[in-house]
Amino acid sequence: MKLFSNKKKQEPSIQFDPETQYAVIRSSICTGEKVAGFKNKTDGHFTELMLIRSPADEKLFIDIYGLDSIRVEY
């Protein structure tokens, strides 16, 4: 019996608009904590979406939103 065989593709919780936003991983210099989200190009507002604990989390974020690249900000 397989418990986790029917893994569904995760749907985006927030819509990404590449015309007005860009993908960012915010990384803390002190603690090393990383948070993925989107930053508004005009006013700089950051929308936090996901805590990044491993490279697998970063890959999941990229897959969910269909991204080519992500900026890293400190």
Side-chain angles (χ1 to χ4, degrees):
M1 183 169 96
K2 292 183 180 180
L3 294 175
F4 302 106
S5 64
N6 293 334
K7 206 173 205 183
K8 294 180 182 177
K9 184 178 178 186
Q10 195 169 357
E11 293 297 319
S13 58
I14 294 180
Q15 295 301 317
F16 172 56
D17 181 13
E19 296 296 320
T20 61
Q21 299 171 319
Y22 59 91
V24 174
I25 292 181
R26 279 192 166 175
S27 182
S28 170
I29 294 172
C30 298
T31 63
E33 180 181 78
K34 294 181 180 182
V35 178
F38 299 119
K39 194 166 187 179
N40 191 309
K41 291 179 180 179
T42 56
D43 64 3
H45 175 75
F46 180 72
T47 303
E48 185 177 304
L49 295 175
M50 182 178 184
L51 181 64
I52 304 295
R53 295 184 201 130
S54 68
D57 289 340
E58 187 173 337
K59 183 178 179 339
L60 177 64
F61 182 72
I62 290 170
D63 291 344
I64 289 172
Y65 289 96
L67 303 170
D68 296 328
S69 65
I70 301 177
R71 294 183 191 182
V72 177
E73 294 182 352
Y74 297 94

